Amino acid sequence: MPRAALLVTTALLTALLSPSVSQAAGDPAPVAVDRFEGEVPFAAQPADGIFTWGGDNDDPPQLRFADRADAPEGAKVLSGTYDISGYGGFTHDFAATEPAHDWSAHKGIRFWWDGRNNAKKITFELKDGGVHGEASELWTTSFTDDFSGWRQIEIPFTDFVYRTDYQPVGGIDHVLGLTGMWGYAVTLPVGAPGQFAMDDVELYGKADQSLRANVTTDAAVYPVEEGGTADVRLTVATTGSAPIDEPVTVGYETTGGTASGSDYTPLRGEVTFPAGTASGTSRTVRVRTLKDRSAESAETIPLKLTVTGAKPPAETPKVVVDAHGLPYLNSGLPVKKRVADLLSRMSLAEKAGQMTQAERGAITSPGDVAAYDLGSLLSGGGSTPTPNTAEAWAKMIDAFQLRAQATRFQIPLIYGVDAVHGHNNLVGATIMPHNIGIGASRNPQLARRTGSVTAAEVRATGIPWDFAPCLCVTRDERWGRTYESFGEDPALVQAMETVIQGLQGDRDGKDMKDDDKVLATAKHFVGDGGTEYGSSTTGTYTIDQGVTKVTRQQLEAVHLAPYQTAVDRGVGTVMPSFSSLDIAGDGQGPVKMHARADMINGVLKGRMGFDGFVISDWAAIDQIPGDRASDVRTSVNAGLDMIMVPYAYQDFHSTLVDEVEAGRVSERRIDDAVSRILTQKFRLGLFEKPYADTDGAAAIGSAGHRAVARQAAAESQVLLKNSAGLLPLRKSQKVYVAGSNADDIGNQTGGWTVTWQGSSGDIIPGTTILEGMREAGGDVTYSKDASASTDGYDVGVVVVGETPYAEGVGDVGNGHDLELSAADRAAVDKVCAAMRCAVLIVSGRPQLIGDRLGDIDALVASWLPGTEGDGVADVLYGKRAFAGQLPLTWPKSESQLPINVGDPVYDPQYPYGWGLTTLTKVPEGGLETLRALGVKARAAERAGDGETGRGLVTQARLIVQRTVGRHITAAVAKPFADADHLLLTGRNAEAVERLTAAYRAA
């Protein structure tokens, strides 16, 4: 990173000269950005203002406008103190409601800094382009505080580089345009307490044309069929779009590359853009290729450009003569033969590239896609293009795919995202309930339909690979990923794996090339849902990424079972877990799953017969004990085929090559990994159609797709209590609605929505629960905190619960618990004291409600229903019946955790499988009716009539629930929960027997 230029000003010169340093002849007058005299407030967006930030509560600095007699400008300076352990600093964002600023007439930015001579580095960043200061590109440089007293720091704009380790949004254009500036940010030193002072931020100097004018090409890569012509368009452009002041010449020459003189017609010449040429003017250079009769890999023809009077393109454009005539390109051949042919031609470096996956924001140079023969890119949570539209996603991914065409064999990238409840990174997508709600629906056909909608919306943006579904069996509600699971019972998880067919289509993979299907990922292999509380060693996490301690029998029955189902369903990829596995008696102790060859090679690929490829989790090999080389060889030898190394792709690539050449990773293991990866790329049809097929983009967020999400939201609602038939509501009733989650689409959709952690507020289009109730025709009044008068209402509906989180950030004990917030408790208490009330809990896991249960007339587990709050309103107002069942046990207290179906001691608030219904007549009768249902269930089982048997179990369950009411004892809960597990495993007669036992206990 270039160090900023420093204009050293001694104390003597400071006294003699005006603080606004004299300017060169012809330079424009300096333009003040910040004088720190109080003209800019301490405020955050959308207002114009200065605000602080940091990695945790202690990291943001303390700022003030301080009077200083030695202030370089005016009377005040910006002064601050800090003590930063993670990261911290401050930002000045210009008002988002006003136009961005144009800095393009100036050479750079400068400010006065009160040096402490501590040798610490201070990072200074600019915010360029985008829609506002928090959705712009970051351009960064730094200076070192190795001086004492005031010094003016001058930083030419040419010193700033695009920040590659973090961007708040996806790349806008990777050009420091200077015409749409949104402010600046300062990152302060870490590790020791400190203080600083700063004054007079201003723009200085004049930008000469060579800095203001650019010559660009319309692409960096121009693939053409052999014998075709590539048209390279040269464009002159200026910041501010003014005409050029002086002529710009572009000399061009075809030289170098892998193509020979017989492959193209050599070309050399010059293009001139005269003074006065309008910004945006283009000229075209045509490169003609020649045709012969031989089969060949792709060949490159660089077009060297020499620019005078403007900045040249960042890269030399390359014309690429497409690979042709080789067997792997023949779509009529079996995939196995195509893979074998291509693999036989590849070098070790090319194979290592196929095994490498990088985060899109980490690509420091777009040419690295070809330079490292990268096999895959991904978008982590919140890693999106700007604007975050379907069109921008497709354009971004197509640009990366174009880069892959410059490789020898033009192997397309496979781009992946975490679309875990719809295409959740995309604003405007259809957001489904999280998996915990889908598990509550007990509807495998619906699960498949949600997968189909997700696949169609993901593929329409150019993405062929989804890191879903999570087949975790959640065994402790304190886990921050609980909502990513379908439930605590492996049988329930297995039943919902129809979602794999929704994503991929037929289990033989023949549908994956279709424009509405994607490659699915079963994750996280294996045991991620069984980690022991307090076992995590990741930061402040308490349970996520911890240790799963099990017997071999428990491992097989609980955690491995869903993966055999996934393999049988043809899932294309599997992702190991961050967590460690500790199998009793195997003598290994806890071992990170990414290092467990016995489980990946032995069980998954060997015994289960998995023929797809294994992709690591985010930088997960870094958690394997040892150095980088050890991490690489251990994980690859354990059976990982592609490694997600978001920001370390260059290092991983070179290390893997070194390990193979040293004999520590066998070429046979590499060939197996690459064969598996190429197989899925061929199945996806990427060699024939690498670019986005956007024909389906019009259906993203469509009424048809939202109808599926609405049904899923409705069927996910679990009615836990319904005294005197309070629900469904009647439209004639006057309803008082309160609570933090009644009208908050961000809380309603939860984590993994637009960003990794999600956020509260109006973050995505959709219908809140309150809006759904109004659209249903209800007579509704809303008071979030229940501060409005409660007089004159027939019924209250209080919608409470959690705010968004993801992964270990949401672990209980890591700033989270299972209690309602104080505001939510107050709203419940006030409304339920004033009128009959229903409480809806919008959350990713059960919330402890027992101390208020007696005052609540109706209780609903709403989970995280997604964007379609009208689905919740459908069951509240009786358009659909409540039919959901608990996918996990609802505890009475945190001290009971973990608590799961099948436990020898089992005394929950509500048992697994509990769920009342409305608009459905509960069968009359008692013990005799249950006995009769048992006889019929056994007969149906003998006849192989599972559908009839399931219906009989449902009738028995409804009879028991009506009899039990609110008096759920341990003697009732255990057989009741057992019955639901038996139902899911097809043992319907036994299920009725257990329900009969629960009835007797009641």
Side-chain angles (χ1 to χ4, degrees), residues 224-232 252-256 259-269 285-292 299-304 319-321:
V224 293
E225 293 183 2
E226 186 188 41
T229 298
D231 290 337
V232 180
Y252 55 85
E253 179 184 7
T254 51
T255 181
S260 65
S262 62
D263 294 313
Y264 66 98
T265 302
L267 191 66
R268 185 174 186 174
V285 175
R286 309 197 80 190
V287 180
R288 293 179 171 84
T289 68
L290 304 175
K291 195 166 189 175
D292 58 31
E299 297 171 307
T300 59
I301 309 166
L303 183 64
K304 180 182 177 182
V319 176
V320 179
V321 182

Side-chain angles (χ1 to χ4, degrees), residues 213-297:
N214 300 269
V215 171
T216 62
T217 58
D218 55 323
V221 179
Y222 296 83
V224 293
E225 293 183 2
E226 186 188 41
T229 298
D231 290 337
V232 180
R233 190 164 73 244
L234 307 174
T235 302
V236 64
T238 62
T239 55
S241 299
I244 58 176
D245 300 327
E246 302 167 7
V248 173
T249 60
V250 184
Y252 55 85
E253 179 184 7
T254 51
T255 181
T258 58
S260 65
S262 62
D263 294 313
Y264 66 98
T265 302
L267 191 66
R268 185 174 186 174
E270 186 176 272
V271 169
T272 298
F273 296 92
T277 299
S279 178
T281 301
S282 299
R283 301 283 188 269
T284 299
V285 175
R286 309 197 80 190
V287 180
R288 293 179 171 84
T289 68
L290 304 175
K291 195 166 189 175
D292 58 31
R293 296 176 180 271
S294 60
E296 295 175 299
S297 58

Side-chain angles (χ1 to χ4, degrees), residues 304-627:
K304 180 182 177 182
L305 302 177
T306 304
V307 178
T308 303
K311 284 192 282 189
E315 297 178 71
T316 297
K318 290 180 180 178
V319 176
V320 179
V321 182
D322 288 338
H324 54 277
L326 301 173
Y328 79 88
L329 295 169
N330 183 356
S331 60
L333 289 177
V335 167
K336 191 172 182 179
K337 287 189 175 182
R338 298 178 74 183
V339 170
D341 176 69
L342 178 52
L343 189 70
S344 70
R345 301 174 187 278
M346 296 171 68
S347 68
L348 174 58
E350 287 167 329
K351 293 173 184 177
Q354 286 302 300
M355 296 173 66
T356 307
Q357 183 185 62
E359 154 63 34
R360 53 162 286 280
I363 301 298
T364 54
S365 169
D368 280 359
V369 171
Y372 291 90
D373 295 286
L374 294 181
S376 180
L377 295 179
L378 82 151
S379 278
S383 178
T384 68
T386 300
N388 189 352
T389 63
E391 181 182 11
W393 275 95
K395 183 178 179 181
M396 175 186 73
I397 294 166
D398 281 355
F400 286 126
Q401 288 288 18
L402 180 63
R403 296 291 183 159
Q405 295 299 299
T407 59
R408 195 160 61 118
F409 299 113
Q410 299 181 304
I411 303 173
L413 293 163
I414 179 169
Y415 200 101
V417 295
D418 289 274
V420 299
H421 63 137
H423 194 356
N424 43 255
N425 280 301
L426 172 65
V427 173
T430 307
I431 304 302
M432 301 291 171
H434 270 293
N435 284 352
I436 198 70
I438 301 298
S441 77
R442 295 298 200 280
N443 188 338
Q445 291 74 32
L446 180 60
R448 178 169 182 159
R449 290 178 66 201
T450 64
S452 294
V453 169
T454 298
E457 297 197 0
V458 168
R459 195 68 182 258
T461 57
I463 301 168
W465 186 12
D466 185 3
F467 304 135
C470 186
L471 302 185
C472 42
V473 183
T474 182
R475 306 292 285 179
D476 191 329
E477 287 81 89
R478 292 171 291 190
W479 188 34
R481 301 191 86 142
T482 294
Y483 63 77
E484 293 189 53
S485 173
F486 291 112
E488 71 185 31
D489 183 354
L492 176 57
V493 175
Q494 289 172 282
M496 296 298 113
E497 289 185 55
T498 50
V499 70
I500 293 172
Q501 265 57 66
L503 294 167
Q504 288 192 173
D506 195 89
R507 62 189 66 202
D508 65 5
K510 65 181 177 61
D511 298 329
M512 286 199 299
K513 64 182 180 301
D514 296 346
D515 64 1
D516 62 350
K517 292 292 179 282
V518 295
L519 187 68
T521 306
K523 65 182 188 184
H524 305 88
F525 186 83
V526 59
D528 54 338
T531 48
E532 191 173 83
Y533 189 79
S535 66
S536 182
T537 57
T538 301
T540 56
Y541 295 5
T542 59
I543 186 167
D544 189 40
Q545 303 184 20
V547 180
T548 298
K549 296 181 179 180
V550 287
T551 64
R552 179 69 64 177
Q553 189 276 332
Q554 289 168 333
L555 176 66
E556 295 285 347
V558 177
H559 299 291
L560 274 172
Y563 287 94
Q564 184 65 68
T565 301
V567 171
D568 293 343
R569 286 186 171 277
V571 72
T573 61
V574 169
M575 180 182 291
S577 175
F578 276 115
S579 59
S580 299
L581 184 61
D582 186 356
I583 304 174
D586 74 351
Q588 297 189 61
V591 179
K592 283 288 182 181
M593 273 307 308
H594 281 72
R596 290 211 65 141
D598 60 330
M599 299 304 301
I600 299 171
N601 284 329
V603 175
L604 178 64
K605 292 181 173 179
R607 192 187 80 195
M608 291 184 177
F610 173 62
D611 64 0
F613 70 87
V614 178
I615 170 70
S616 86
D617 209 333
W618 181 277
I621 68 168
D622 294 347
Q623 295 189 12
I624 299 173
D627 58 15

Side-chain angles (χ1 to χ4, degrees), residues 740 785 800-801 817 819-829 852:
S740 61
D785 61 358
V800 296
D817 55 38
E819 301 283 349
L820 297 181
S821 69
D824 278 348
R825 293 196 299 270
V828 170
D829 291 345
R852 285 171 169 76

